[in-house]
Amino acid sequence: MNMNRCSLLAVLLALTACGGGSGSGSKSSSSSVVSSMVSSSAASMASLSSAVSSIPSSAAMSSVSSSAITSSISSASSSSTPVVIELAENGGFEISEAGSTAPANWSLATNGGTAAIQVISAANQPSNVHTGDRALEVAINTIGANPWSIETTHTGLNNGGIPVVGGSIYAYKAWVKGPAGAQANFTVGTPAPAYAERARSNVTLSGEWQEVSIEVTTSPDDTLLRLPVHFSLAANVGATIYVDDFSFTKVESITYEYSPVTVESLRSLSPGNMPIGVAVAAGNSAISPLTNIPRQTVVTQHFSQLTAENIMKPSFLQPTQGQFSFGDADALIDFAEANGLKVHGHTLLWHNQIPTWMQNFSGTKDQWLDVLRTHVSTVASHFAARQSVVSWDVVNEAFEDAGGRYRGSAANTGSSVWYTNIGPEFIEEAFKAAHAAAPNADLYYNDFSTEWNRPKLDAVVAMVEDFQARNIPIDGVGFQMHVWGNANVATIREHLKLVADIRPAIKVKITELDVRLNYVDPPLSANAYTPARADQHKALIKGIVEAYLEVVPPEQRGGITVWGVADVDSWINSLYGRPDWSLFFFNDMSPKPALQGFADALSGN
């Protein structure tokens, strides 16, 4: 991206933030702040790259078929100082009177909980104002059942949202103070109706003022964002929390040139038509390939199988007991079949993302078994008639990490309504019900960290061997493969082989491949995806795919699925509240060197 064009765009954004646009008769009483950031030299960035072996963030752009990828990333160059535009008007509450419960450009909510939220003055509470003369006080009495009941949201100038440029990187900062142990969740999200979260930072308070700092990459389609802060947490009952000095700034971009990406179609390189899959959003999501044409192009060009990221989970398919909702899932299946794609169902049974009625269900063991069998049978039979639905994650994440025990079986093993109310046999009952309803589908047990956690993997292998000995139907094991940038490929190879060597032979599938790179503290900047880091990412992906092809015989290959399309789509960004480069396409849908690493492994290069 041309630096002069970016600077002009920044000025236009400044005017918009100051209320200079049409459609509003009011004028802001304070102007947006234009400041500058010290640029980081190329030498210091190279030093960072060599000092940290694994890294994260999202950003970047280029042509889908270009051989040399050029990517715009929020960063400073050694030859110019980028302009930063202050977009969070009234971020310090300075244009609201003390005692106000409706500060300009803010929405304050106490829906379900009880709290007193008001602007305070430094004249009355000098230690509770960070800078200037105003801050916001949130005095919490009860939190109620609604997890979003107590929140303060910066909604932008005249409550219209904070104007942003899609596919750009922003720095969000705020200051918070509250009693030690209290908590505040700072988030960045889109306005109604989607309310999609772009980033999050869950902060435990110390008793003193502390800064919250988040870097977030906007989706290419984003034009407006909001800054909600949630306080509906058990630790906050009786606490009074102060927030001040919010800012949300865009940093200008520089251009990186990455190693060539020449692969034209990943799926065409797959040996023996092994499935090459991708998890996708659907329903009314703005990043659904059903409606988002750039993602649709990437999905149909490079992948042969789809996994629904969310809409085939229990909370979506049976939101009310006995009432199933298949519309969004059927639309995804229609899209897959229209484009010659297969579908891997995800997931019939999980302890997370289950509907409230299921989470709160009270009954005997037999009644719980009826709930389980009804859901699994109804869902599996509904899709059994669709030839594109070839496999299922039947049970997801039934084992805990520490020692390979069943989740919920003892203290500090997590919780599972299925184990608590049925016992370990809930797993086999789910497989039996799924097989009866969809006898032609491959049925998988799916879990995370098994690529490195030997006790957990041993527990999974023991379960599979027990099922085989007792003729419980199971066809495969799924390795989620949410790995970090320092993952050990030799260990991954060994663990894949342990499952491939089970006899009678079962299928082995990598179900949710992505790479978390920004796991270091302090977090890496959103401009840290240098060419060197991209090549590291590429090498890791190539190593994982090569290991899979080396140890899993062709007839046992369930395939490899990546968990999302573009970096900005990844669950990793919002969960950890920091940017990351975990996927295979930049935010403009241009391919990353990691995609070439995948292709090189498939073709044996």
Side-chain angles (χ1 to χ4, degrees):
M1 185 180 290
N2 182 280
M3 184 65 72
N4 291 332
R5 288 178 59 198
C6 286
S7 298
L8 176 60
L9 180 58
V11 172
L12 293 174
L13 279 171
L15 292 174
T16 303
C18 291
S22 62
S24 173
S26 62
K27 185 165 64 176
S28 171
S29 61
S30 67
S31 65
S32 295
V33 179
V34 180
S35 60
S36 64
M37 292 184 69
V38 178
S39 62
S40 58
S41 69
S44 66
M45 292 174 67
S47 175
L48 175 63
S49 175
S50 62
V52 182
S53 61
S54 51
I55 311 128
S57 169
S58 68
M61 333 248 154
S62 81
S63 167
V64 172
S65 60
S66 69
S67 60
I69 303 176
T70 300
S71 172
S72 297
I73 299 183
S74 178
S75 175
S77 73
S78 57
S79 59
S80 64
T81 302
V83 174
V84 177
I85 304 303
E86 174 62 73
L87 297 178
E89 188 80 21
N90 196 26
F93 306 96
E94 302 302 321
I95 60 175
S96 298
E97 294 299 322
S100 171
T101 58
N105 306 325
W106 285 82
S107 172
L108 312 181
T110 54
N111 301 317
T114 56
I117 309 176
Q118 64 173 337
V119 176
I120 63 167
S121 169
N124 298 322
Q125 300 187 49
S127 64
N128 294 327
V129 173
H130 182 251
T131 65
D133 190 49
R134 299 284 189 271
L136 194 70
E137 176 185 78
V138 183
I140 301 155
N141 297 312
T142 63
I143 59 172
N146 181 356
W148 312 106
S149 61
I150 302 173
E151 66 174 290
T152 66
T153 305
H154 190 295
T155 55
L157 190 65
N158 299 320
N159 297 318
I162 299 171
V164 296
V165 177
S168 299
I169 297 170
Y170 289 81
Y172 172 29
K173 294 185 178 182
W175 287 83
V176 60
K177 175 186 175 183
Q183 298 174 352
N185 294 341
F186 290 76
T187 61
V188 180
T190 60
Y195 292 116
E197 194 170 277
R198 294 288 177 254
R200 170 188 288 261
S201 181
N202 300 335
V203 182
T204 299
L205 307 185
S206 64
E208 303 295 334
W209 281 106
Q210 58 199 93
E211 187 179 35
V212 180
S213 182
I214 307 172
E215 284 189 322
V216 56
T217 301
T218 57
S219 172
D221 300 324
D222 286 343
T223 58
L224 296 170
L225 289 178
R226 304 158 69 249
L227 307 178
V229 187
H230 302 293
F231 303 95
S232 310
L233 302 155
N236 292 345
V237 175
T240 299
I241 299 172
Y242 302 90
V243 291
D244 199 1
D245 292 341
F246 287 74
S247 65
F248 195 75
T249 58
K250 179 179 181 293
V251 182
E252 293 300 341
S253 301
I254 64 168
T255 298
Y256 285 136
E257 190 161 310
Y258 295 97
S259 59
V261 178
T262 59
V263 55
E264 295 183 0
S265 173
L266 205 61
R267 61 187 291 180
S268 68
L269 301 174
S270 178
N273 294 317
M274 179 187 79
I276 304 295
V278 62
V280 296
N284 63 356
S285 171
I287 60 173
S288 166
L290 278 67
T291 54
N292 186 295
I293 300 305
R295 283 173 175 78
Q296 185 180 117
T297 300
V298 165
V299 166
T300 56
Q301 178 179 348
H302 286 285
F303 300 99
S304 60
Q305 188 174 87
L306 299 181
T307 297
E309 186 177 15
N310 285 302
I311 62 165
M312 293 173 77
K313 292 173 180 173
S315 59
F316 288 82
L317 293 186
Q318 196 185 178
T320 302
Q321 186 171 11
Q323 298 180 18
F324 290 82
S325 178
F326 292 112
D328 287 341
D330 284 338
L332 180 64
I333 307 303
D334 291 341
F335 169 81
E337 293 178 350
N339 289 280
L341 304 171
K342 301 298 184 183
V343 175
H344 176 72
H346 178 80
T347 174
L348 292 173
L349 212 66
W350 192 22
H351 62 278
N352 277 335
Q353 288 189 262
I354 59 176
T356 301
W357 73 263
M358 195 178 283
Q359 184 72 51
N360 297 332
F361 183 78
S362 178
T364 65
K365 179 176 178 178
D366 285 343
Q367 289 171 324
W368 270 96
L369 281 167
D370 185 61
V371 167
L372 181 155
R373 291 168 181 151
T374 297
H375 182 82
V376 172
S377 299
T378 303
V379 173
S381 62
H382 176 85
F383 294 106
R386 307 296 295 262
Q387 293 183 351
S388 60
V389 183
V390 296
S391 54
W392 277 98
D393 291 328
V394 177
V395 175
N396 200 44
E397 301 176 6
F399 293 92
E400 55 87 37
D401 263 0
R405 296 167 294 181
Y406 289 108
R407 184 183 298 276
S409 62
N412 302 317
T413 62
S415 63
S416 166
V417 296
W418 305 112
Y419 187 94
T420 299
N421 293 284
I422 298 173
E425 61 266 36
F426 86 85
I427 304 173
E428 63 188 75
E429 291 299 328
F431 274 89
K432 288 189 289 187
H435 178 69
N440 296 321
D442 285 337
L443 306 179
Y444 287 82
Y445 174 77
N446 189 51
D447 217 325
F448 65 91
S449 80
T450 49
E451 76 281 351
W452 62 265
N453 188 324
R454 183 60 182 268
K456 188 174 188 178
L457 180 62
D458 286 345
V460 172
V461 171
M463 179 191 71
V464 172
E465 292 176 338
D466 172 62
F467 280 14
Q468 290 179 326
R470 296 188 293 116
N471 295 316
I472 306 299
I474 185 169
D475 299 297
V477 168
F479 288 77
Q480 289 185 11
M481 208 69 69
H482 297 296
V483 300
W484 286 15
N486 61 353
N488 188 307
V489 173
T491 300
I492 292 172
R493 181 184 289 105
E494 176 188 348
H495 285 208
L496 289 168
K497 190 174 189 302
L498 284 170
V499 176
D501 286 346
I502 293 174
R503 292 295 178 268
I506 63 170
K507 291 189 175 182
V508 183
K509 187 177 184 71
I510 294 176
T511 55
E512 305 181 19
L513 177 62
D514 55 23
V515 181
R516 185 184 175 201
L517 294 166
N518 197 4
Y519 56 84
V520 297
D521 287 311
L524 295 162
S525 168
N527 61 19
Y529 197 61
T530 61
R533 194 145 294 121
D535 285 342
Q536 173 204 345
H537 188 186
K538 172 184 176 180
L540 178 57
I541 293 299
K542 184 173 187 286
I544 291 172
V545 177
E546 285 177 338
Y548 178 85
L549 297 176
E550 287 169 8
V551 302
V552 181
E555 64 275 12
Q556 291 178 248
R557 294 173 185 165
I560 301 174
T561 291
V562 301
W563 203 250
V565 180
D567 286 338
V568 73
D569 303 345
S570 176
W571 62 280
I572 291 174
N573 301 324
S574 58
L575 179 65
Y576 295 103
R578 53 178 67 180
D580 220 314
W581 311 269
S582 54
L583 293 171
F584 294 78
F585 291 85
F586 291 117
N587 295 334
D588 68 341
M589 299 300 111
S590 57
K592 299 167 66 176
L595 188 76
Q596 189 63 47
F598 200 141
D600 290 346
L602 291 175
S603 57
N605 293 331

